[in-house]
Amino acid sequence: MEMTEMTGVSLKRGSLAVEDNDSLTPAEEAKRQKVSEGWLTKGQDGIDNNSPPSCENVPGLPKVVSAGKRKKHSGAPLQEEEEEEEDGLSEEGEEEGEAESFADMMKHGLTELDVGITKFVSSHQGFSGILKERYSDFVVHEIGKDGRISHLDDLSIPVDEEDPSEDVFTVLTAEEKQRLEELQLFKNKETSVAIEVVEDTKEKRTVIHQAIKSLFPGLETKTEDREGKKYIVAYHAAGKKALANPRKHSWPKSRGSYCHFVLYKENKDTMDAINVLSKYLRVKPNIFSYMGTKDKRAITVQEIAVLKITAQRLAHLNKCLMNFKLGNFSYQKNPLKLGELQGNHFTVVLRNITGTDDQVEQAMNSLKEIGFINYYGMQRFGTTAVPTYQVGRAILQNSWAEVMDLILKPRSGAEKGYLVRCREEWAKTKDPAAALRKLPVKRCVEGQLLRGLSKYGMKNIVSAFGIIPRNNRLMYIHSYQSYVWNNMVSKRIEEYGLTPVPGDLVLKGATATYIEEEDVNNYSIHDVVMPLPGFDVIYPKHKISDAYREMLTADNLDIDNMRHKIRDYSLSGAYRKIIIRPQNVSWEVVAYDDPKIPLFNTDVDNLEGKPPPVFASEGKYRALKMDFSLPPSTYATMAIREVLKMDTSIKNQTQLNTTWLR
């Protein structure tokens, strides 16, 4: 079996926007699980792209990937904040006048080489193709714990006599809804809101009672006579806790407490979507549950569960929301749990491909039969000149001044102007309050750390850093583990190729064991795992064990003592398969003339009765349509990288694309 090593790539004009399979959240790190097709401890892929949420925003990038010269090679729930948040600036407007181009900024970013991604498993010649910015060219369907692929194919509402009439959505005026929302969220000093009943009837009063109670959880109602007129008076039932705990007595006992539904979304990650839904439903985000997060740059379909919100109310959101669709409603006894999914199914279109039919056939057969190296993708390491793994390394070293400096110091790279000004203020004054005033958005990592420093002082950085939500803090150390793992798997493949050797590790149940000389022929490369460093893993019994030790020693870490003074930052470690073979792989090459036409139907297209596209036998362009399923914690970018033989880093794609455009 032949391996190749990437030595160069070139790009053509186009756009690479990819969505990766979800990995489990840091909440599950606490469970100390070790077995996975991928890695069962991580920062979730769904706080966009597996990096702690910074104030920075990287726009969609125009780029296309293609193969260049190669040589053969021998052998991670929202933390609620009490204070009011200032509105952030718009996504586009702030930076339009900035002189430095995005390509210039990204020259300071990471390449695959920087994070240990250097090998390929296949021997085919790479070719170029465009993964368009069109979201319809990249579709992700969640695979549930029963192995069923989630589809949105039913918008009907379960019949339930307990549900109020549709009038509850229209009986209140916009002004009344505004007053009730302010009362519900304690935004004014009123203790109640009175709604006059015009055209008073018992039926009308009943609908108003139902509307207030269902649309504004936490509010109770009563009817009062005032000067011969009837009023429905809304008031708080049980203080602020009522908002988080939907009314128990208003939910039929015979109905499951959770409404499960399929969420179809475009250009929103899962947490953003839940924030939007909770805002429209006027509930807190923590009453929603899901099995995995989906990233932003795609169309995604997944199952969501919500506590004591009716299918009727959820379906009403279809009339209000753009780029969302909710359906396949059912009532269940239990919520969903993170990590219960089996993976995700991807449908990906690579447009304007240059490969011959034979090249495509070789590439896709290799993906189907051998697979790809299970690297952690570029999203895990950040987009600026300060990679997230460097912060993780400083945390593990207990170097808290360096942690603070790495997060807050000025750096080159793609960042919003207000974040640049915040960093400059910090460098100049070391005054957390002054730097914080430069930020219109306070809930990013930088804003949270500055708020912590203002609260606890510069001599208590540990407590200040602790203000950042736990999941986001753990993403930094998971990024360092991923960085080590990527480098070690490249060394393993360089040293021993794609066959098992004595001293490699395999899993028997949840336990890692060594491959002995006499058992080598009983295993394939798809059985081999390698550890993420931690106190509860074993390392291979060959040269790569020394490589682990040397790498951690160079980083001033003791591989024999991965326990940290702060328990949260103690790494137990985990095992990750080094090669992933996708399931349900299929593909076809289609011809087309119009680059704007969709090349397959989405679930919404099918619901609307749109006929599938018809392709001519010949056309101006050719596209590769790929379908494949991946387990949790694996990266679709790495599968696409193996097919095209490309560098997936933003830096490489952007700079080469800019060169091509000149």
Side-chain angles (χ1 to χ4, degrees), residues 630-653:
L630 295 178
S633 184
T634 52
Y635 286 74
T637 38
M638 295 296 101
I640 295 167
R641 170 186 183 269
E642 186 68 43
V643 170
L644 295 178
K645 295 289 184 72
M646 59 177 249
D647 182 326
T648 59
S649 67
I650 293 174
K651 174 180 178 177
N652 198 65
Q653 295 159 9

Side-chain angles (χ1 to χ4, degrees), residues 479-520:
S479 177
Y480 178 72
Q481 284 182 303
S482 305
Y483 169 70
V484 172
W485 194 91
N486 278 1
N487 278 278
M488 292 300 99
V489 79
S490 291
K491 284 184 179 295
R492 159 63 182 77
I493 290 172
E494 179 176 346
E495 189 70 35
Y496 299 112
L498 295 176
T499 55
V501 297
D504 272 335
L505 293 169
V506 293
L507 291 173
K508 292 187 177 177
T511 305
T513 60
Y514 295 107
I515 296 180
E516 303 296 342
E517 183 86 50
E518 60 271 19
D519 294 327
V520 164

